[in-house]
Amino acid sequence: MTALITIPRPARALARAPDEVSTPVRQRPGHTIVALSGALDGAAAPALREHLLGAVRRSGRLLILDLGEVASADAAGLAVLVGIRRRAAVLGITLRLVAPRSQVAALLRATALDRALPVYPDPDSLSEAPAR
């Protein structure tokens, strides 16, 4: 199943086009992959949370959040990821983050969330090596 949700953010200035976060979902036997893109920030957080909660409810035992197209994140975006990890754990679902860009990876390291939210360089490394 593939679903695409686009979450428009309000423009901060008249000349600036609104940013978007899109989250296609791909389900495979035993796991679900959600590819995130855009900015994971306070403006996108509420709609992103609802969409990811739906993905958790439909997920197999493994939920993979592909961060390869996420340009940036802030505290609100990280809070969504932590909340989703907690919800997934209650349901017996393992959450993994893959392919974060440098800003997001640095933020995860700086906040030590890379310890609570296992991060992998790419989807293939999920089965090859321990989380980093």
Side-chain angles (χ1 to χ4, degrees):
M1 172 170 113
T2 300
L4 177 64
I5 182 172
T6 300
I7 306 162
R9 286 187 25 206
R12 291 193 177 121
L14 292 176
R16 185 174 171 203
D19 292 333
E20 296 178 341
V21 174
S22 62
T23 57
V25 176
R26 295 182 307 277
Q27 291 186 311
R28 303 286 187 260
H31 66 276
T32 301
I33 302 170
V34 180
L36 304 177
S37 66
L40 303 183
D41 58 15
L48 179 63
R49 180 180 300 109
E50 290 305 311
H51 181 69
L52 291 177
L53 286 172
V56 166
R57 286 190 291 271
R58 294 184 307 273
S59 181
R61 295 184 337 163
L62 176 63
L63 176 60
I64 301 166
L65 300 183
D66 183 346
L67 305 178
E69 296 299 319
V70 172
S72 63
D74 66 11
L78 293 182
V80 170
L81 298 180
V82 169
I84 294 303
R85 185 197 110 12
R86 287 183 184 149
R87 180 66 59 96
V90 166
L91 298 172
I93 298 168
T94 302
L95 177 71
R96 297 290 183 252
L97 306 180
V98 297
R101 289 184 177 181
S102 60
Q103 187 271 342
V104 176
L107 186 58
L108 288 166
R109 280 190 306 274
T111 59
L113 286 175
D114 61 339
R115 295 180 188 155
L117 299 165
V119 178
Y120 296 81
D122 56 63
D124 294 332
S125 64
L126 283 169
S127 61
E128 297 172 3
R132 296 170 224 214

